[in-house]
Every structure is written in structure tokens, then in C-alpha cells.
Amino acid sequence: MHNIMLKQSALLLFHVIVSQYICYCHAEQIHDQKNASITTRLKDEVSDQIDKNSDVNEIIPKKYHDSNYLKRVETARKRWKLIFKEIKSFAPSTYSENSELKKIDSSKFFDQWKLLLDGESQKNITRSVNVTKRSRQRFEGTSSWEKKLQQWADDAADSLKEENEGKGKNETSLALLPAINFSPRPAKAGEPILPHTDIADKSKNICIVTTAALPWFTGTAVNPLLRAAYLTTGRAAAGGSVTLMVPWLERVSDRETIYGKHRFFEGKEEQEEWIRTWLRDTADLKQASVDLQIKWYTGRVETLENSIYSMGDIIALLPEEEVDIIVLEEPEHLNWYRAPGESWTKKYKHVVGIVHTNYFVYAQEQPAAFIRAPGMRLLSAWMCRAHCHRIIKLSGTLDNFAPEKELVENVHGCRKSFLNYGVELSKVLKSPEAANHQVFRPDADPKVYFIGKMLWSKGINYLMELLKYAEESAGLKIDMDMYGGGPNLEEARDRSESLGLSMIYHGAIDHAALAPSHKIFINPSLSEVLCTTVTEALAMGKFVIVPSHPSNDFFSQFPNCLTYANKEEFVGNLYFALTHSPQPLSEEYTYALTWEAANERFAAAGCITVAESEELADVLSHTESGLEIDLPPLIEDEIRRKRISTTVKRTRSRFRQFRSKLSQEIRNSNVLGEDLQNIMIKELDKRLDLNVDELLASPKLKVKLSPAELDKILLELYNNICGGVGGDVFRVIGGGANVGRQKYYMKQEALRLRMQEAQKKRDELSSQTDVPLLPASRAPQFLIDENTGGSSTVTKWIKGSLKRNLLQGDSGTFVPGTKKLHTEIFIIIT
């Protein structure tokens, strides 16, 4: 028990010291800014603004490296040294069988540490693997000139807004306020569920449609495949089935671009066999590799986005009677450029959309981002709302799409190969061998890595600045292994060298290969929705250091996940991980990372309970439910508003008097029939009750519209825009240069089918032995071109087409008596 108390005290002391150090640095910075020279203040302002292609000494000239700055650095390092000593001396480092730690819940130590950072009391500590809502400070990246400029602009806007409010002026911004107060929640165990939405029902036929296929190892290819494979368990015996629908790249160039020339498939059957082999051998899902049904839709690659989009109508490929529940992986992606056709929600009883990607963030990095990014956000919400009955967001980092339909839930799991290593490592960490482990013992040489695409949007720039801060302020220098490729690889290499960081770039590698070699994984990304590599690293039993961000809320509950909200916390977490062994994963935490647990969460989040259905119906039954839009004031001048309001009221009063007299005249009329009299009087009695003063000062547009009606209107609007003659133009302008011509593609496909049908008729006719065939020389005279030499002409081209279609096969014979068929073939071709 003495060791346990020491560990609790050490972790508490660590965060108290870090907090005191942050306060000290802040106070010291204020003191220096008041008393130091202008050169020192300039040094403080620009020390973090290191350009990616510049050296530190180029940004901060030597004349600014004065004694005050060096003294501050020395003081900071001394304080960090004391903090590191406390962390290393008092906190328990191993979790062996002989340790007193074995007797209690060791995860509480990590939880106490995190709850201290969150500002919560120890009584709220829980081992639940559900995401807890905390008022945790968020990491928003390191400082930069762009960020400071944005902050100054925001401050100026806020100041101007407060000034206008102080003068009594009205808001002039447009805001859409949902008047429906309702939000869904996952179903609880034993709670009644609407039968047609019950994903857990093994007798249901489920179809999962996704935007990528193996061997492209991207999240939207791997995760839907594993979800579908695990959902097949026990379903065949109950009469149900699971179908995975993936894109077939019909163009050879697209297949080479996505899969590489070393993985080239001649046909769908060959690629399907590759997928089933991967499921059987790599994912260790032998039965699922047989039970899973795989269907294909035609896809093409949009080069600018490096994404696959469907060509033609996918919905037409899935008969309604064969599908009970549809799961759309990336519903917005599947419907942006989809060909005009029937709606998902009209054809199928229950449609669940799983949103994987924050396309708004990616759109900000593309050309014309100031137009494209807001348009992408609006279109994504439009597509999700119109095409789904339920929307599942993998994390809270995503925008709102349809509040009455959506909820946040991590429905992804982890492959067995990662979990198996984590289980074996946990056994080692609980044994006496832990003290001598080459990688995971506390005093082992630090093995730290990052794996992912080499993109600035993945936070690589933040990682460099954090490592540089750790080196300069705390004297903590590490070797960082970087795995992965990407368009910013060379720029990242150059910048890390200019900063003097020890970052070694190794290229792409299978994450599982790093299981025995590295102890700490750092993922600095702020653009992720839910990072797969973080899941895999936690499953392997590693320390994971990530920013405090909505995309990491699910992971923050795990004891080996260390989140940071600022640079000081990053340094403290990094040193803690370097000097300690990871905590062995309990069975509960291990199960939370499995696909079995993920599908349980998916079934609970994807269904609709009876209580939820009744509550939503009750909310929508109220007369005030709907959408309310605040508009800018029509007239800002108050005196002018009163003058107009008085005039309108007088006019309305006079018109009502006239209308009343007219109604009396109609009643007394002997010319008009009784039915016509009643109709006219009814129309004259109608009144439009408006508060003119309120309308002019603060107009509001309230639309009494249920979500179902709104979805219907949005679908009709989309079909009117994209289903007409100009639909292809709209899709191409919207970014689908290679995939936007959907109507043209469908016409070409119809033409191809007609050609095939005509060819089939021609083959059947030529196979009939009772049809007299004339020699080629007996072909019509007008097809014989005596002058075959010289350049091609239109006449020669037409004659050549006729010869190819009217002369049968290799025999070179002409079939008489088939004028109708030949004419049809000729018309199709021309």
C-alpha cells in the first residue's frame, strides 16, 4: 500500500508542479515584457514563428540573443529538470505480478491525472468505456502569425459587435435556428426497437455501400469491409445476409493509379478473390470470407480529390426485395455526383449513413477554398439529410447535418492482429520480464514514431514545433521515426532539418510491423474525424500522445492515451511515457477496441427505438415546431420605421372597411349565385395578422416544416437541378471534371446495351442454317468502293461502317432479307 500511495502522490504532484510552472512562465513573461528591452520582447513574439523553409537563426538574428533570453532559457530548463526528477522518482514504473498495484484498479492513477487536467473531482472517476463529456481545454495548435492575425480580426469583430449592441442597433446577420428541440440517442439494452430498423436482428438482409475497395488500404475500404465481415456472424443460420457493395474501376488508368501496377486486376472476379483471400489470411476471418456477398458498381477516379465516385445509378443495382437495411459509408460522398435516379430513403425502409471524413477541412486546402469550402459544408449536410434516416458521426469534430437524425458514436473496431499483440504484451508487462524488456521497460532507449500520410493537414508542422519546444525549453531531445509517404514529404524533411530536429523518414510501412519495436506513438493531427492508427496503437499496448480534440474523445478514456491541451502538457506527457511502461490493457478496454464491440455500438446507434419515434412525433405535432430564420432589419432608421408603420396601419384599416362594405353588397346581391357568394365572402374575410413594427425592426421567417417534408423538398430541388439537361454541366462545374457527366454516361451505357442486343440478334440470325447466304461479291453495288487508295473521306467511312455491319462474321457473306435489322444497326452506329 505504501507504493500505491507513492504513485498517487507522484501523479498528483506532477500536475501540480506542471501547473505551477505554467503560471510561473506566464508571470515571468509579463515581468520581462515590462522591464526588458525591446529586443527581448521581439524575441518572445517571433520565437515560435519559424517558417518551414527557414532556419531559426535567420528568423531571430544574433543581436536579439541577449543575456535576458539566455537566462530565461536556463531557468526554464532548471525547473523542467526538477519536474522530470519528480516524475521519474515517485511514479511507479512497472505492473508486475508482485507489485501492490496488482491488487487495485491501476487505471485510476491515469484517470486522476486526466481529471485533474479537466478540473473535475476525484469522485467522478469511472472505468466506463463510454465517452465522458468533460469541460477539457482543447489544443488548437501552436501559435503562428496567421493565427494571431485571425485572433486580432475576431477580436475586432467582437468589439464592433459589442459597440453596435451598446448603441441599440439590431443584428444584421442571417441565422438559421432549429425550432425542433430533439436529439437522438443510442438504444439501451432491452429497449423496444422499431422492427424495420433493428440491425442486431440476424434475419435482416443488410447491404453496406462504400466508396473504396481493397487493395486500396484507406479507411473507407478497410473499415466497411471488416464491419460487413463481422456482421455476417450467425446471420446465415437465421436467414439473413450481408452484402458489401464496392466500386469497380472500369478504366485501366484508374486501377493503376489507385492500386498500382503491381496489383493489376483484369476483371471484378480477380479483385473479389483478392479481397476474400485478404479476409481469410490477413484478417483471420475464414467463415466471413465465404459468407460475405460482394457486389460491384462502376466507379471512376476524380484526379483532383484522388477519390472514387460512382458512375450511373447505384440504386437500380439493388432490388428493394433483397435489402432490409442500407448502410451508406460516406453518404455525402456517394451522392454528390450520383446519376439522377430514385432516392435511397424512398426505395428502402431504413438507411443509415456513417460519416467518415471532414471534407470541409480538406476543401479549405483546395483551389478557390473561400467558395468551395462553404459550398462543401452545405452540400454535405444536404446529401446526408436527404438520403438518410439515421446519421452516425464518428466523432464530435464533424458539423451538424440533421440534428433530429444524427448522433456521435465510434462504430469502428480494430483487427485481431493488433489486439493479439496487445494481449501478449499485457502478459509480459505483468510478469517479472517487464523490467528487462528491450523496448517497453522504463529505462529503455526511447522509441517514438509517427505513421500516416505526409501532409501538413495531418499536423506535422505542429509536431515539429512541439518537439522543438521540448528541446529548447526542457532540454528533451528525441529521435523521431516518421513512417508514410505523401505530397509534403520532401518539404517536411527540409523543414525538420532546418530546425535541427532528429526526424528520420522511412516511407510507408504496415503499422503491425511496428508492434514490437516502438513504445510511443504521437499523432498531432487536428483534421481527423477518428484516426485508425490511434486505435491500432492503443490495441498494441503502446503509449499514445494526442491533442485534446473532439476526434480523440473516445480514445482519451484509455489509460495509455495521454492528451495535451498546450505545449507544457505535451512535454510532461512525453517524458512520462519515456520513463514508464504502458499500463497493461484490461479485458474491458481490449474488448472496447474489438469489432464485436464496435458492431454492438453500431446496432445501438443505427436503430430507432419506439420511445424515440414517439418523442419525435410528439415534438413535431406542436404547432410551433419548424424552422425559424432571423433576417436583417428592413429599415434601420427608427423614425422612418414609425412613419412607414403608421401609413401601413392606416391603409390596412381603410382596406378592411372597404372589404366589409363589399361583403355586405355581395350578400345582398340577387345576381350572384349562393355558392359564388360564399366563396367570395370567405376570401374577403381572410386576414393577414402581422405586427408591422416587429416586422420592420427584426423580421423573422418561420417555416412550419417537418424534417420529412424538408427532406422531400431538398430531394425534389436536387433532382430538378441535377436531373435536367444541365445536370452534367452543374456537376462538372461543382468539381466533377471526370465523374460529373452522369447523364451522358448513362446514354452511352444504354447505347452499348442496344448494340449488344443487336449483335446478339445478328449472331442468332447467322447461326440459322436455313437462311441463304450470298458471297461477299454479291453485296450491294453501292458498298463496293473501287478506288480504295488515297485519303479517307466521309463517304468511305460510311461505306466501311456498312460493310462491317452488313457482312457476316469471318465468312464475308451478305445476308439478304434482313433489311430491318441492318437498318437498325446502322442507325445505332451513326
Side-chain angles (χ1 to χ4, degrees):
M1 293 299 296
H2 180 68
N3 291 336
I4 297 172
M5 296 178 63
L6 281 178
K7 178 163 187 175
Q8 289 177 322
S9 303
L11 290 173
L12 294 173
L13 181 62
F14 166 72
H15 287 288
V16 171
I17 295 174
V18 170
S19 301
Q20 290 177 346
Y21 170 71
I22 295 172
C23 295
Y24 169 81
C25 289
H26 181 66
E28 187 180 25
Q29 183 179 12
I30 295 175
H31 175 77
D32 287 347
Q33 288 179 347
K34 289 181 178 179
N35 301 293
S37 63
I38 185 65
T39 57
T40 304
R41 294 201 302 271
L42 179 61
K43 162 69 183 175
D44 293 338
E45 287 293 327
V46 304
S47 60
D48 289 330
Q49 318 305 326
I50 301 173
D51 186 78
K52 64 182 180 182
N53 295 320
S54 303
D55 188 80
V56 180
N57 293 325
E58 295 177 2
I59 294 294
I60 307 170
K62 291 182 179 179
K63 62 181 180 180
Y64 296 133
H65 290 190
D66 52 21
S67 58
N68 287 334
Y69 171 72
L70 296 176
K71 183 178 179 180
R72 290 180 58 206
V73 170
E74 184 180 358
T75 303
R77 289 193 175 184
K78 286 181 179 179
R79 291 188 172 273
W80 272 115
K81 190 174 181 180
L82 292 174
I83 294 173
F84 290 162
K85 184 178 179 180
E86 295 290 340
I87 295 173
K88 191 172 182 179
S89 301
F90 289 96
S93 303
T94 61
Y95 307 88
S96 65
E97 296 287 345
N98 298 328
S99 174
E100 290 290 336
L101 182 62
K102 181 69 178 175
K103 299 179 182 179
I104 68 164
D105 179 12
S106 58
S107 65
K108 287 186 177 180
F109 299 126
F110 291 83
D111 286 338
Q112 287 172 354
W113 177 2
K114 296 175 184 179
L115 291 174
L116 270 174
L117 292 177
D118 296 344
E120 298 185 17
S121 62
Q122 296 183 20
K123 65 180 181 181
N124 292 327
I125 295 176
T126 176
R127 289 192 62 198
S128 172
V129 293
N130 293 322
V131 177
T132 54
K133 294 183 179 179
R134 301 174 177 177
S135 56
R136 179 81 164 99
Q137 181 185 355
R138 297 298 192 183
F139 179 74
E140 298 179 354
T142 55
S143 61
S144 63
W145 285 117
E146 292 81 2
K147 189 166 291 185
K148 283 194 173 185
L149 289 173
Q150 184 61 46
Q151 290 174 351
W152 292 337
D154 293 341
D155 291 342
D158 293 340
S159 175
L160 182 62
K161 180 179 176 181
E162 292 174 358
E163 182 180 353
N164 290 337
E165 289 177 347
K167 294 180 180 179
K169 292 189 177 182
N170 294 287
E171 292 287 339
T172 60
S173 61
L174 180 66
L176 185 63
L177 304 175
I180 299 175
N181 185 18
F182 175 82
S183 57
R185 58 171 178 78
K188 298 178 181 178
E191 193 172 7
I193 296 171
L194 295 180
H196 69 280
T197 70
D198 192 358
I199 298 174
D201 183 1
K202 300 291 185 180
S203 64
K204 290 287 191 295
N205 297 313
I206 298 177
C207 180
I208 298 177
V209 186
T210 188
T211 57
L214 295 186
W216 191 17
F217 285 93
T218 185
T220 51
V222 177
N223 290 314
L225 173 61
L226 292 174
R227 189 188 333 280
Y230 278 92
L231 281 174
T232 60
T233 304
R235 203 164 287 267
S241 66
V242 179
T243 302
L244 179 67
M245 198 170 194
V246 291
W248 163 251
L249 301 179
E250 61 177 358
R251 292 177 173 176
V252 175
S253 59
D254 287 346
R255 294 201 293 273
E256 291 180 350
T257 299
I258 297 298
Y259 307 133
K261 295 183 179 180
H262 62 291
R263 285 176 177 167
F264 182 78
F265 304 106
E266 293 290 347
K268 303 174 186 177
E269 296 77 12
E270 189 177 340
Q271 186 171 357
E272 181 175 333
E273 182 59 30
W274 196 99
I275 294 173
R276 294 187 185 278
T277 302
W278 184 88
L279 273 178
R280 182 182 64 250
D281 299 339
T282 304
D284 194 22
L285 296 170
K286 296 179 176 58
Q287 188 60 42
S289 67
V290 177
D291 293 342
L292 179 63
Q293 300 177 19
I294 298 178
K295 285 190 175 183
W296 302 86
Y297 65 86
T298 303
R300 289 183 182 176
V301 175
E302 182 55 58
T303 308
L304 178 63
E305 301 170 6
N306 196 34
S307 298
I308 300 174
Y309 293 95
S310 64
M311 298 301 297
D313 189 6
I314 311 179
I315 299 178
L317 304 175
L318 295 170
E320 181 181 0
E321 61 275 7
E322 296 181 7
V323 179
D324 296 316
I325 298 174
I326 285 281
V327 181
L328 303 182
E329 308 272 357
E330 293 199 300
E332 73 281 43
H333 187 139
L334 284 167
N335 290 286
W336 280 333
Y337 304 121
R338 185 174 67 85
E342 199 170 1
S343 167
W344 297 97
T345 52
K346 284 184 179 180
K347 187 171 182 178
Y348 306 108
K349 298 177 183 177
H350 190 53
V351 182
V352 180
I354 302 177
V355 186
H356 291 245
T357 308
N358 195 341
Y359 285 104
F360 175 72
V361 173
Y362 289 107
Q364 290 176 317
E365 302 175 358
Q366 294 179 353
F370 69 98
I371 296 177
R372 189 178 182 87
M376 183 72 73
R377 171 182 282 175
L378 176 63
L379 190 59
S380 295
W382 188 356
M383 293 297 98
C384 291
R385 167 178 283 283
H387 292 287
C388 299
H389 296 114
R390 170 73 90 210
I391 301 170
I392 299 176
K393 302 189 297 185
L394 294 178
S395 73
T397 190
L398 290 163
D399 291 325
N400 289 331
F401 300 107
E404 77 283 354
K405 295 182 178 183
E406 68 185 37
L407 47 76
V408 176
E409 189 65 82
N410 174 17
V411 294
H412 285 356
C414 193
R415 270 171 34 205
K416 288 182 180 179
S417 56
F418 297 103
L419 291 165
N420 291 341
Y421 186 85
V423 170
E424 294 300 320
L425 178 62
S426 296
K427 294 178 182 178
V428 173
L429 293 176
K430 294 177 182 178
S431 69
E433 301 176 11
N436 300 319
H437 200 283
Q438 293 184 353
V439 176
F440 292 93
R441 73 174 187 269
D443 59 343
D445 292 334
K447 293 288 186 178
V448 188
Y449 73 102
F450 164 84
I451 185 169
K453 291 182 180 179
M454 293 299 161
L455 295 170
W456 294 120
S457 60
K458 294 293 184 181
I460 301 175
N461 53 335
Y462 298 149
L463 177 60
M464 293 179 184
E465 292 169 8
L466 289 169
L467 292 177
K468 190 64 179 177
Y469 174 81
E471 181 180 339
E472 290 184 340
S473 66
L476 186 60
K477 185 177 179 64
I478 61 170
D479 295 331
M480 186 83 185
D481 290 321
M482 307 289 289
Y483 295 95
N488 300 130
L489 174 60
E490 293 303 322
E491 296 178 35
R493 193 196 309 272
D494 294 341
R495 184 178 182 186
S496 61
E497 291 178 357
S498 67
L499 293 176
L501 298 172
S502 179
M503 302 179 77
I504 303 96
Y505 295 84
H506 301 277
I509 192 175
D510 185 2
H511 198 181
L514 303 178
S517 59
H518 291 73
K519 182 172 74 169
I520 304 168
F521 171 53
I522 302 177
N523 181 41
S525 177
L526 299 177
S527 64
E528 303 283 355
V529 174
L530 190 78
C531 188
T532 303
T533 54
V534 173
T535 307
E536 294 169 349
L538 286 173
M540 290 187 286
K542 300 179 183 297
F543 276 121
V544 173
I545 302 177
V546 293
S548 176
H549 188 259
S551 62
N552 296 318
D553 282 347
F554 177 82
F555 306 124
S556 63
Q557 65 191 304
F558 290 85
N560 291 330
C561 181
L562 312 177
T563 61
Y564 58 89
N566 49 55
K567 294 185 290 186
E568 289 76 18
E569 288 185 9
F570 171 81
V571 176
N573 287 334
L574 178 59
Y575 189 78
F576 183 90
L578 290 172
T579 56
H580 294 79
S581 296
Q583 178 182 322
L585 282 178
S586 64
E587 292 183 3
E588 183 181 12
Y589 282 119
T590 301
Y591 182 75
L593 294 172
T594 64
W595 269 106
E596 288 84 358
N599 277 343
E600 289 177 4
R601 297 191 295 267
F602 171 57
C607 69
I608 298 176
T609 64
V610 175
E612 178 186 330
S613 177
E614 293 175 351
E615 182 182 353
L616 180 60
D618 180 63
V619 170
L620 296 177
S621 66
H622 297 307
T623 56
E624 67 272 11
S625 64
L627 297 175
E628 202 172 75
I629 302 175
D630 290 339
L631 300 173
L634 299 179
I635 300 172
E636 294 191 6
D637 186 14
E638 186 175 356
I639 298 177
R640 190 181 172 199
R641 278 205 308 268
K642 286 186 176 181
R643 188 185 309 122
I644 294 175
S645 173
T646 303
T647 303
V648 171
K649 290 177 180 177
R650 289 175 181 174
T651 304
R652 289 177 64 185
S653 176
R654 292 169 182 171
F655 181 71
R656 285 176 179 176
Q657 292 177 5
F658 166 75
R659 200 168 51 182
S660 176
K661 292 181 180 180
L662 183 59
S663 297
Q664 293 177 3
E665 292 292 334
I666 292 174
R667 287 192 183 95
N668 298 329
S669 174
N670 297 324
V671 178
L672 300 175
E674 184 178 354
D675 293 339
L676 184 58
Q677 286 183 7
N678 293 333
I679 293 174
M680 295 180 69
I681 291 172
K682 184 178 180 181
E683 291 296 323
L684 289 171
D685 287 342
K686 288 182 178 179
R687 293 189 178 187
L688 183 62
D689 293 325
L690 293 175
N691 187 330
V692 181
D693 295 326
E694 182 180 350
L695 177 65
L696 294 175
S698 180
K700 291 184 179 182
L701 176 63
K702 186 167 185 178
V703 184
K704 294 182 179 180
L705 203 63
S706 69
E709 291 172 336
L710 179 59
D711 297 346
K712 181 180 178 181
I713 292 174
L714 289 176
L715 279 174
E716 290 177 353
L717 176 61
Y718 181 78
N719 290 333
N720 291 335
I721 295 174
C722 299
V725 179
D728 284 359
V729 177
F730 181 82
R731 280 183 285 268
V732 170
I733 293 175
N738 296 328
V739 299
R741 293 179 294 176
Q742 295 284 351
K743 289 185 71 67
Y744 175 77
Y745 174 83
M746 294 178 71
K747 288 182 179 179
Q748 291 295 103
E749 282 296 294
L751 177 62
R752 184 179 63 82
L753 293 175
R754 285 159 51 198
M755 290 281 292
Q756 289 180 352
E757 186 65 26
Q759 178 67 39
K760 182 179 179 181
K761 291 180 180 179
R762 190 174 61 181
D763 293 341
E764 291 176 355
L765 186 61
S766 64
S767 64
Q768 297 176 5
T769 57
D770 57 339
V771 178
L773 298 178
L774 299 177
S777 59
R778 295 288 301 277
Q781 182 66 33
F782 72 90
L783 290 182
I784 302 175
D785 192 351
E786 300 294 341
N787 301 320
T788 56
S791 59
S792 300
T793 62
V794 175
T795 302
K796 289 183 179 180
W797 182 85
I798 294 175
K799 289 182 178 181
S801 299
L802 288 172
K803 285 180 181 180
R804 287 192 299 272
N805 288 278
L806 298 182
L807 298 180
Q808 293 298 318
D810 297 331
S811 61
T813 56
F814 175 72
V815 183
T818 57
K819 180 178 179 181
K820 181 179 180 181
L821 174 61
H822 297 151
T823 304
E824 180 183 353
I825 297 172
F826 174 69
I827 291 174
I828 291 173
I829 295 175
T830 58

